[in-house]
Amino acid sequence: MVLVLNGVLQEDCPPDTRALYNTHPIYRETAAQLLAVPNKIVGPVGLLYVQQRELASTVPHDKNVSILGADDVTTCLIVVVRHSGSGAVALAHLDGSGTDEAVCTMVHRVQELALGYPEGRIELQLIGGFSDPRHYSDELFYNVLSSFHKHPMEIDLTLACVGELNTTIRGGIHWPIIYGIGVNIKTGEIFPATFPDKGPDQALRCARYLTGVSQVLDIYDCNLGLLRIGPFNYEPLRGVDLWLEQSDDFILQHLSTCPEVEPPHFVMQIRATLKYIQDNQFPAVTVFRDNRPHYYRRDEHSGTWAAIRY
Protein backbone atom coordinates (compact mmCIF):
# COMPACT_ATOMS: atom_id res chain seq x y z
CA MET A 1 0.00 0.00 0.00
CA VAL A 2 2.75 2.47 -0.83
CA LEU A 3 2.09 3.50 -4.41
CA VAL A 4 1.10 7.17 -4.58
CA LEU A 5 -1.05 8.20 -7.56
CA ASN A 6 -1.76 11.90 -8.05
CA GLY A 7 -0.78 12.56 -4.42
CA VAL A 8 -3.05 9.86 -2.95
CA LEU A 9 -1.79 6.69 -1.27
CA GLN A 10 -3.32 3.66 -3.03
CA GLU A 11 -4.74 0.51 -1.49
CA ASP A 12 -4.92 -1.30 -4.82
CA CYS A 13 -2.76 -1.22 -7.92
CA PRO A 14 -4.57 -0.18 -11.16
CA PRO A 15 -5.22 -3.37 -13.20
CA ASP A 16 -4.34 -1.72 -16.52
CA THR A 17 -3.49 1.59 -18.18
CA ARG A 18 -7.11 2.38 -19.01
CA ALA A 19 -8.12 2.16 -15.34
CA LEU A 20 -5.20 4.42 -14.40
CA TYR A 21 -6.11 7.10 -16.95
CA ASN A 22 -9.85 6.98 -16.22
CA THR A 23 -9.33 7.32 -12.46
CA HIS A 24 -6.45 9.81 -12.65
CA PRO A 25 -6.76 11.98 -15.81
CA ILE A 26 -3.73 14.03 -14.70
CA TYR A 27 -1.55 11.29 -16.23
CA ARG A 28 -3.09 11.97 -19.64
CA GLU A 29 -1.92 15.58 -19.34
CA THR A 30 1.66 14.80 -18.31
CA ALA A 31 1.92 12.11 -21.03
CA ALA A 32 0.66 14.61 -23.63
CA GLN A 33 3.42 17.04 -22.58
CA LEU A 34 6.08 14.37 -23.20
CA LEU A 35 4.52 13.33 -26.52
CA ALA A 36 4.69 16.96 -27.68
CA VAL A 37 8.50 17.07 -27.25
CA PRO A 38 10.39 16.45 -30.54
CA ASN A 39 12.51 13.29 -30.72
CA LYS A 40 16.25 13.89 -30.33
CA ILE A 41 18.99 11.82 -31.94
CA VAL A 42 21.62 11.45 -29.22
CA GLY A 43 25.26 10.66 -29.94
CA PRO A 44 27.62 8.56 -27.80
CA VAL A 45 29.44 11.37 -25.97
CA GLY A 46 28.30 11.46 -22.35
CA LEU A 47 25.69 8.73 -22.97
CA LEU A 48 25.12 5.68 -20.80
CA TYR A 49 22.91 3.41 -22.90
CA VAL A 50 20.81 0.76 -21.13
CA GLN A 51 19.93 -2.40 -23.07
CA GLN A 52 16.92 -4.67 -22.53
CA ARG A 53 17.15 -6.42 -19.11
CA GLU A 54 19.66 -3.88 -17.84
CA LEU A 55 19.56 -1.02 -15.35
CA ALA A 56 21.92 1.80 -14.41
CA SER A 57 21.94 4.54 -11.79
CA THR A 58 23.88 7.75 -11.25
CA VAL A 59 23.87 11.28 -9.77
CA PRO A 60 23.72 14.78 -11.30
CA HIS A 61 27.41 15.53 -10.59
CA ASP A 62 28.65 12.41 -12.46
CA LYS A 63 31.37 13.80 -14.75
CA ASN A 64 31.27 10.71 -17.00
CA VAL A 65 27.56 10.61 -17.82
CA SER A 66 25.19 13.38 -18.87
CA ILE A 67 22.37 11.27 -20.36
CA LEU A 68 20.90 7.90 -19.39
CA GLY A 69 18.95 6.38 -22.25
CA ALA A 70 17.22 3.38 -23.79
CA ASP A 71 15.34 2.81 -27.04
CA ASP A 72 14.04 0.06 -29.37
CA VAL A 73 11.12 -0.31 -26.96
CA THR A 74 7.95 -1.76 -28.45
CA THR A 75 6.11 -3.93 -25.90
CA CYS A 76 8.78 -3.28 -23.21
CA LEU A 77 8.78 -0.47 -20.64
CA ILE A 78 11.42 2.09 -19.75
CA VAL A 79 11.32 2.64 -15.99
CA VAL A 80 12.86 5.72 -14.34
CA VAL A 81 13.22 6.07 -10.57
CA ARG A 82 14.43 9.45 -9.26
CA HIS A 83 14.93 11.10 -5.88
CA SER A 84 13.47 14.60 -6.16
CA GLY A 85 15.85 16.10 -3.59
CA SER A 86 19.23 14.79 -4.69
CA GLY A 87 18.50 14.12 -8.37
CA ALA A 88 19.86 10.55 -8.03
CA VAL A 89 18.30 8.56 -10.85
CA ALA A 90 18.05 4.96 -12.09
CA LEU A 91 16.79 3.76 -15.47
CA ALA A 92 15.85 0.24 -16.57
CA HIS A 93 14.61 -1.36 -19.80
CA LEU A 94 12.23 -4.09 -18.59
CA ASP A 95 10.43 -6.85 -20.48
CA GLY A 96 8.77 -8.79 -17.64
CA SER A 97 11.77 -10.88 -16.57
CA GLY A 98 13.41 -10.22 -13.21
CA THR A 99 11.02 -7.35 -12.44
CA ASP A 100 10.76 -7.65 -8.64
CA GLU A 101 14.52 -7.83 -8.18
CA ALA A 102 15.12 -4.97 -10.63
CA VAL A 103 12.60 -2.72 -8.85
CA CYS A 104 14.22 -3.40 -5.47
CA THR A 105 17.70 -2.72 -6.90
CA MET A 106 16.62 0.53 -8.56
CA VAL A 107 15.00 1.93 -5.41
CA HIS A 108 17.93 0.78 -3.26
CA ARG A 109 20.51 2.37 -5.60
CA VAL A 110 18.63 5.69 -5.65
CA GLN A 111 18.26 5.65 -1.86
CA GLU A 112 21.99 4.97 -1.47
CA LEU A 113 22.93 7.77 -3.85
CA ALA A 114 20.49 10.18 -2.13
CA LEU A 115 22.04 9.74 1.34
CA GLY A 116 22.64 13.10 2.96
CA TYR A 117 19.66 14.69 1.18
CA PRO A 118 16.83 14.47 3.74
CA GLU A 119 14.37 16.41 1.55
CA GLY A 120 12.81 14.65 -1.40
CA ARG A 121 10.59 11.79 -2.53
CA ILE A 122 11.09 8.74 -4.68
CA GLU A 123 9.41 9.41 -8.03
CA LEU A 124 8.52 6.83 -10.68
CA GLN A 125 8.15 7.45 -14.41
CA LEU A 126 6.98 4.82 -16.91
CA ILE A 127 7.40 5.23 -20.66
CA GLY A 128 6.76 2.77 -23.50
CA GLY A 129 4.51 -0.10 -24.38
CA PHE A 130 1.49 0.47 -26.63
CA SER A 131 -1.89 -1.05 -27.48
CA ASP A 132 -0.32 -4.15 -29.02
CA PRO A 133 -2.59 -6.89 -30.40
CA ARG A 134 -1.40 -9.52 -27.88
CA HIS A 135 -1.73 -7.20 -24.84
CA TYR A 136 1.90 -7.78 -23.79
CA SER A 137 2.27 -4.12 -22.82
CA ASP A 138 -0.70 -4.09 -20.47
CA GLU A 139 0.52 -7.26 -18.74
CA LEU A 140 3.96 -5.70 -18.32
CA PHE A 141 2.50 -2.42 -17.02
CA TYR A 142 0.64 -4.33 -14.28
CA ASN A 143 3.71 -6.49 -13.58
CA VAL A 144 5.94 -3.42 -13.07
CA LEU A 145 3.42 -1.31 -11.15
CA SER A 146 2.62 -4.25 -8.83
CA SER A 147 6.32 -4.64 -8.05
CA PHE A 148 6.53 -0.99 -7.00
CA HIS A 149 3.26 -1.30 -5.05
CA LYS A 150 4.76 -4.19 -3.03
CA HIS A 151 7.88 -2.16 -2.17
CA PRO A 152 7.93 -0.79 1.42
CA MET A 153 8.95 2.73 0.28
CA GLU A 154 6.36 5.35 -0.65
CA ILE A 155 6.76 5.88 -4.39
CA ASP A 156 5.12 8.69 -6.38
CA LEU A 157 4.05 7.88 -9.93
CA THR A 158 4.64 11.21 -11.69
CA LEU A 159 4.51 10.13 -15.36
CA ALA A 160 2.91 7.23 -17.21
CA CYS A 161 3.20 7.60 -20.98
CA VAL A 162 2.20 4.01 -21.73
CA GLY A 163 -0.35 1.83 -23.48
CA GLU A 164 -3.13 3.65 -25.33
CA LEU A 165 -1.51 7.09 -24.84
CA ASN A 166 1.68 5.88 -26.54
CA THR A 167 -0.22 4.46 -29.51
CA THR A 168 -0.92 5.76 -32.99
CA ILE A 169 -2.64 3.99 -35.89
CA ARG A 170 -1.03 3.84 -39.33
CA GLY A 171 -2.39 1.67 -42.12
CA GLY A 172 -4.78 0.00 -39.70
CA ILE A 173 -1.88 -1.11 -37.47
CA HIS A 174 -1.21 0.08 -33.92
CA TRP A 175 2.30 1.59 -33.54
CA PRO A 176 4.20 2.97 -30.54
CA ILE A 177 4.74 6.74 -30.71
CA ILE A 178 7.81 6.84 -28.44
CA TYR A 179 10.40 4.08 -28.94
CA GLY A 180 13.02 5.49 -26.59
CA ILE A 181 13.83 8.21 -24.07
CA GLY A 182 16.78 10.02 -22.63
CA VAL A 183 17.10 11.42 -19.12
CA ASN A 184 19.18 14.55 -18.58
CA ILE A 185 20.78 13.59 -15.27
CA LYS A 186 21.52 17.20 -14.27
CA THR A 187 17.90 18.38 -14.61
CA GLY A 188 15.89 15.13 -14.52
CA GLU A 189 14.25 16.15 -17.82
CA ILE A 190 12.91 13.23 -19.86
CA PHE A 191 12.68 13.52 -23.65
CA PRO A 192 11.90 11.16 -26.58
CA ALA A 193 15.20 9.96 -28.05
CA THR A 194 16.93 7.65 -30.50
CA PHE A 195 20.45 6.31 -29.92
CA PRO A 196 22.37 5.19 -33.04
CA ASP A 197 25.33 4.17 -30.80
CA LYS A 198 24.23 1.70 -28.13
CA GLY A 199 27.57 1.39 -26.37
CA PRO A 200 30.13 -1.40 -26.16
CA ASP A 201 29.56 -5.18 -26.24
CA GLN A 202 26.15 -4.83 -27.86
CA ALA A 203 25.90 -8.39 -29.23
CA LEU A 204 27.11 -9.88 -25.92
CA ARG A 205 24.57 -7.84 -23.96
CA CYS A 206 21.73 -8.78 -26.33
CA ALA A 207 22.75 -12.44 -26.07
CA ARG A 208 21.69 -12.46 -22.41
CA TYR A 209 17.99 -11.96 -23.09
CA LEU A 210 17.95 -13.86 -26.39
CA THR A 211 19.20 -16.98 -24.57
CA GLY A 212 16.73 -16.51 -21.71
CA VAL A 213 18.91 -15.13 -18.90
CA SER A 214 16.17 -13.56 -16.75
CA GLN A 215 18.21 -11.37 -14.38
CA VAL A 216 18.25 -7.62 -14.97
CA LEU A 217 21.93 -6.61 -15.00
CA ASP A 218 23.14 -3.54 -13.08
CA ILE A 219 25.79 -2.18 -15.47
CA TYR A 220 27.26 0.96 -13.90
CA ASP A 221 29.22 2.05 -10.84
CA CYS A 222 28.95 5.85 -10.71
CA ASN A 223 31.42 6.14 -7.81
CA LEU A 224 34.16 4.61 -9.97
CA GLY A 225 32.81 5.80 -13.32
CA LEU A 226 32.94 2.23 -14.64
CA LEU A 227 30.59 0.55 -17.11
CA ARG A 228 30.68 -3.13 -16.18
CA ILE A 229 29.41 -6.02 -18.32
CA GLY A 230 29.34 -9.50 -16.75
CA PRO A 231 30.54 -11.92 -15.87
CA PHE A 232 27.62 -14.15 -16.78
CA ASN A 233 26.94 -17.37 -18.62
CA TYR A 234 24.09 -18.56 -20.83
CA GLU A 235 23.00 -21.92 -22.17
CA PRO A 236 24.09 -22.76 -25.74
CA LEU A 237 21.23 -21.83 -28.07
CA ARG A 238 19.86 -24.92 -29.78
CA GLY A 239 19.64 -24.62 -33.54
CA VAL A 240 21.54 -21.33 -33.75
CA ASP A 241 23.08 -22.43 -37.10
CA LEU A 242 19.58 -23.07 -38.40
CA TRP A 243 18.34 -19.66 -37.21
CA LEU A 244 21.15 -17.94 -39.09
CA GLU A 245 20.11 -19.67 -42.33
CA GLN A 246 16.55 -18.27 -42.15
CA SER A 247 15.22 -15.27 -44.08
CA ASP A 248 15.00 -11.83 -42.49
CA ASP A 249 11.21 -12.09 -42.45
CA PHE A 250 11.31 -15.47 -40.66
CA ILE A 251 13.59 -14.03 -37.96
CA LEU A 252 11.38 -10.97 -37.60
CA GLN A 253 8.18 -13.03 -37.29
CA HIS A 254 9.58 -15.53 -34.78
CA LEU A 255 11.94 -13.51 -32.59
CA SER A 256 9.89 -10.37 -31.98
CA THR A 257 6.94 -9.88 -29.63
CA CYS A 258 5.44 -7.47 -32.18
CA PRO A 259 7.02 -7.94 -35.63
CA GLU A 260 4.79 -5.37 -37.38
CA VAL A 261 6.36 -2.39 -35.58
CA GLU A 262 10.04 -3.23 -34.98
CA PRO A 263 12.62 -0.59 -35.95
CA PRO A 264 14.39 -1.24 -39.29
CA HIS A 265 17.66 -2.44 -37.71
CA PHE A 266 15.97 -5.15 -35.58
CA VAL A 267 16.83 -8.14 -37.81
CA MET A 268 20.41 -6.99 -38.37
CA GLN A 269 20.90 -6.69 -34.61
CA ILE A 270 19.37 -10.15 -33.99
CA ARG A 271 21.60 -11.70 -36.68
CA ALA A 272 24.71 -10.13 -35.11
CA THR A 273 23.64 -11.50 -31.72
CA LEU A 274 22.94 -15.00 -33.09
CA LYS A 275 26.37 -15.00 -34.75
CA TYR A 276 27.95 -13.94 -31.46
CA ILE A 277 26.16 -16.80 -29.64
CA GLN A 278 27.31 -19.23 -32.34
CA ASP A 279 30.92 -18.10 -31.83
CA ASN A 280 30.69 -17.95 -28.02
CA GLN A 281 28.53 -20.81 -26.80
CA PHE A 282 30.06 -20.73 -23.30
CA PRO A 283 30.85 -17.08 -22.47
CA ALA A 284 32.01 -18.01 -18.96
CA VAL A 285 34.93 -19.76 -20.74
CA THR A 286 35.57 -17.74 -23.92
CA VAL A 287 34.40 -14.21 -23.04
CA PHE A 288 34.88 -13.71 -19.30
CA ARG A 289 38.26 -15.35 -18.87
CA ASP A 290 39.20 -15.93 -15.21
CA ASN A 291 35.65 -14.77 -14.39
CA ARG A 292 36.61 -11.15 -15.06
CA PRO A 293 33.98 -8.59 -16.13
CA HIS A 294 34.46 -6.34 -19.14
CA TYR A 295 35.15 -2.86 -17.76
CA TYR A 296 34.84 0.39 -19.70
CA ARG A 297 35.83 3.89 -18.66
CA ARG A 298 34.90 7.19 -20.33
CA ASP A 299 37.76 8.28 -22.62
CA GLU A 300 38.60 11.91 -21.84
CA HIS A 301 39.43 12.80 -25.45
CA SER A 302 36.63 11.10 -27.40
CA GLY A 303 33.97 11.14 -24.65
CA THR A 304 33.02 7.53 -25.49
CA TRP A 305 33.47 4.27 -23.56
CA ALA A 306 36.91 2.68 -23.88
CA ALA A 307 37.81 -0.82 -22.72
CA ILE A 308 40.15 -1.15 -19.73
CA ARG A 309 42.84 -3.61 -20.75
CA TYR A 310 44.41 -5.91 -18.19
Side-chain angles (χ1 to χ4, degrees):
M1 284 197 357
V2 287
L3 195 63
V4 179
L5 302 181
N6 194 21
V8 180
L9 205 61
Q10 301 297 302
E11 287 201 18
D12 299 310
C13 186
D16 52 34
T17 54
R18 185 158 294 174
L20 173 71
Y21 295 135
N22 287 344
T23 314
H24 304 280
I26 184 72
Y27 293 111
R28 290 184 182 274
E29 295 169 28
T30 47
Q33 289 167 15
L34 178 66
L35 291 164
V37 176
N39 188 77
K40 293 181 187 173
I41 297 174
V42 178
V45 177
L47 169 66
L48 178 54
Y49 184 85
V50 177
Q51 295 267 12
Q52 191 169 332
R53 289 190 203 170
E54 291 182 351
L55 67 89
S57 54
T58 191
V59 287
H61 54 268
D62 186 338
K63 66 181 191 299
N64 299 294
V65 174
S66 52
I67 290 172
L68 278 177
D71 66 358
D72 293 352
V73 171
T74 55
T75 53
C76 294
L77 273 184
I78 299 171
V79 179
V80 178
V81 174
R82 188 172 182 270
H83 183 259
S84 63
S86 65
V89 62
L91 181 147
H93 179 163
L94 301 183
D95 62 7
S97 288
T99 306
D100 284 350
E101 188 184 355
V103 163
C104 286
T105 301
M106 291 177 84
V107 175
H108 180 64
R109 289 281 179 272
V110 167
Q111 284 179 295
E112 274 184 331
L113 295 172
L115 280 175
Y117 291 86
E119 297 297 318
R121 295 179 66 79
I122 302 281
E123 296 177 341
L124 169 64
Q125 294 155 317
L126 303 176
I127 305 97
F130 71 113
S131 299
D132 65 283
R134 297 168 191 86
H135 305 291
Y136 288 130
S137 295
D138 247 350
E139 286 176 30
L140 180 55
F141 169 79
Y142 183 73
N143 171 267
V144 169
L145 215 54
S146 297
S147 287
F148 279 101
H149 194 48
K150 286 185 289 191
H151 197 280
M153 279 292 294
E154 263 191 32
I155 295 163
D156 273 303
L157 181 68
T158 58
L159 173 70
C161 185
V162 292
E164 63 184 78
L165 295 195
N166 192 41
T167 304
T168 187
I169 299 175
R170 296 204 301 266
I173 295 172
H174 287 192
W175 291 76
I177 301 171
I178 293 177
Y179 277 81
I181 58 122
V183 180
N184 180 323
I185 65 159
K186 298 250 183 316
T187 64
E189 175 210 0
I190 287 180
F191 54 91
T194 304
F195 306 95
D197 186 312
K198 303 182 192 307
D201 274 338
Q202 190 185 356
L204 168 63
R205 293 158 74 182
C206 293
R208 287 181 63 254
Y209 64 82
L210 208 58
T211 55
V213 179
S214 61
Q215 184 192 11
V216 178
L217 195 66
D218 187 353
I219 61 166
Y220 185 60
D221 184 330
C222 70
N223 293 316
L224 298 174
L226 291 179
L227 173 59
R228 167 187 167 143
I229 307 300
F232 54 80
N233 204 18
Y234 48 71
E235 297 293 319
L237 191 63
R238 289 177 58 191
V240 67
D241 304 4
L242 205 56
W243 276 111
L244 283 164
E245 291 170 9
Q246 303 308 310
S247 69
D248 285 1
D249 189 59
F250 186 90
I251 287 175
L252 179 63
Q253 294 301 324
H254 290 81
L255 291 181
S256 166
T257 54
C258 211
E260 304 85 3
V261 302
E262 289 291 357
H265 55 266
F266 174 82
V267 172
M268 186 175 70
Q269 186 175 307
I270 292 290
R271 281 196 184 281
T273 304
L274 289 168
K275 185 73 175 71
Y276 189 92
I277 294 167
Q278 185 185 47
D279 295 341
N280 298 277
Q281 295 188 37
F282 300 97
V285 178
T286 61
V287 179
F288 301 110
R289 298 181 190 280
D290 302 324
N291 210 33
R292 284 202 303 251
H294 288 188
Y295 284 114
Y296 295 86
R297 190 182 291 285
R298 182 74 70 194
D299 181 85
E300 289 181 11
H301 301 293
S302 68
T304 58
W305 296 104
I308 298 175
R309 303 294 175 198
Y310 293 97

